[in-house]
Each structure stands twice: as C-alpha cells, then as structure tokens.
Amino acid sequence: MVQTELISIFKNHGVPRCIKVDNGRPFGDPLLETVPPLALWLVGLGIKVIWNPPATPQDNAKVERNQGVMAKWTDFANCKNAQDLQMRLWKEAEFYNYHFPIRRLGHQKRIEIFPKLAHTTKEWNPADFKLNRVFIFLAKGAWQRKVSSSGQISLYAQRFSVGIDYKHQIVSIKLDAKKRAWVIFDANGKQIRIQKCTISYNALWNIVYS
C-alpha cells in the first residue's frame, strides 16, 4: 500500500533526491535492528534516506509543526474513514503549497519559493532501481544478534545456523557487497560462517507488511 502510493507520487511529482523519515515503521526500525525493506527499496532507486535521530522531534521541527497544522486543518477526528482523511489531506496540502501566503516569506506561496514542489527534475523510471545500491548500502552497517538455544539467528526473514556452541551468545553480522553474502563473527571478531544473502529485486518490489 505505502509502496504503491509512493510510486503514484513519484509518477506525478518526480523522484526526490532524498526523503527524511523517522525511526518507526515502515521506513525505520524503532529498535535499530534492521533497515526496513521499504527504505532499502528507496535506496535502490537512488534516493538518499535520512533518518531523524531517535527521540529528538526537535531536529525535525518543520515537519512536526506541519503535521500539527494538517491535523487542525483536516479535522481528522471527524473524518468518516481513511479515504475521507486522505481526500482532506490532499486538499489541504494543495492549499498550503499553492494558495496559502506565508508571512515570513513575504506573503509568497510555497510553490513560488520552492517550484520543485510541483515536480522534481528527475522523472519516474523503475529501471533506475539498482539492487547493487542496496548491497553497497547494507555493507556499511553491522548488526548484532543473540544466538538461540538451537544455535540460530535470523535477519531479513533469513535464518542462519551458527552452531550450538554459540547458543545465547551475541554475534555480529555484516554484508560482503561483492559476494552478496552475510558474514557472521563471534564476540572476538572471528569469522564463524558466510551465507548467501537472499535479498532480491522481487522481494523489494513486492513488499508485504506484517
């Protein structure tokens, strides 16, 4: 649903250079244990994903204020259903961007100051998606997992057997972008095993939310 709506926005308004998001689903992970598939899909499209630091709404003040304004203008509490709310959001967003005079900007409209609100310079083209961008991005990070009593860990719906000798221990996992494989290390940095990464083009274009 979210992915479909984003594609519609990109078709109508172009593809942005970056998107700033918070640390909640579906773009972020509150526990910072993974990068959600929807964010990886944006990375594959060449969009820079900027995560707001956890528990610091003041660092995203403009967005927070805008959400407050939209909440008042849409009168969301009295919307009949989600569709009604969406229609009101589109209506008020158009008014805010195209017709509302902003005093601090000399009573100009936002569209006059920021013409790219109407359409960015980059047209939507699904062929711009490159899976290798995703692997290069993931290779910059590292994740920790606690080994289960059966000697397994999981990441991105993929299970890894690291051995019963490591049960209840913390191991780290990194991606080798060239080999497109996960490499698992013990607490001392010793490599335990390597396993092919199953993140695929189809998986990131057909995201199912749980």
Side-chain angles (χ1 to χ4, degrees):
M1 178 69 175
V2 177
Q3 190 175 37
T4 301
E5 291 298 322
L6 283 173
I7 291 173
S8 177
I9 292 171
F10 295 160
K11 287 180 178 178
N12 292 326
H13 302 285
V15 180
R17 290 181 301 171
C18 59
I19 292 181
K20 191 172 186 179
V21 301
D22 61 21
N23 289 279
R25 296 283 178 172
F27 298 101
D29 182 351
L31 300 178
L32 303 180
E33 291 187 337
T34 61
V35 178
L38 188 59
L40 296 180
W41 175 71
L42 293 175
V43 169
L45 288 169
I47 300 172
K48 182 179 180 181
V49 181
I50 303 172
W51 284 272
N52 203 52
T56 55
Q58 65 273 15
D59 289 352
N60 209 22
K62 289 184 179 180
V63 172
E64 297 291 338
R65 285 198 301 269
N66 181 260
Q67 290 176 344
V69 170
M70 285 293 108
K72 293 179 180 178
W73 287 7
T74 59
D75 190 20
F76 71 93
N78 292 314
C79 289
K80 298 176 183 178
N81 48 43
Q83 185 177 10
D84 183 28
L85 174 60
Q86 183 62 73
M87 293 299 294
R88 293 194 190 192
L89 282 170
W90 282 118
K91 179 181 178 181
E92 299 303 346
E94 180 186 17
F95 173 75
Y96 184 70
N97 289 323
Y98 288 85
H99 306 290
F100 183 71
I102 302 176
R103 184 169 55 184
R104 64 181 176 79
L105 296 178
H107 297 282
Q108 296 184 82
K109 318 298 189 299
R110 282 176 59 81
I111 193 64
E112 295 173 336
I113 306 298
F114 309 108
K116 287 186 178 181
L117 285 171
H119 199 288
T120 70
T121 55
K122 186 177 181 180
E123 298 285 345
W124 164 252
N125 183 357
D128 288 336
F129 180 91
K130 306 298 180 186
L131 187 59
N132 197 49
R133 288 192 184 116
V134 175
F135 290 118
I136 292 174
F137 172 82
L138 285 174
K140 297 176 182 178
W143 291 268
Q144 291 187 328
R145 289 292 185 274
K146 185 175 182 179
V147 182
S148 70
S149 57
S150 61
Q152 294 184 325
I153 60 172
S154 63
L155 183 66
Y156 290 113
Q158 185 176 359
R159 299 196 67 82
F160 308 86
S161 178
V162 296
I164 199 70
D165 291 341
Y166 293 95
K167 67 178 181 180
H168 307 311
Q169 295 185 35
I170 301 297
V171 297
S172 60
I173 181 168
K174 287 183 63 67
L175 184 74
D176 185 320
K178 291 184 178 179
K179 296 180 179 179
R180 296 192 176 185
W182 295 110
V183 185
I184 305 170
F185 303 89
D186 66 13
N188 297 316
K190 177 184 176 182
Q191 181 177 318
I192 300 174
R193 69 166 301 172
I194 185 169
Q195 185 166 325
K196 182 180 179 181
C197 176
T198 59
I199 294 176
S200 67
Y201 176 94
N202 288 335
L204 295 181
W205 277 90
N206 299 280
I207 297 172
V208 177
Y209 302 96
S210 58

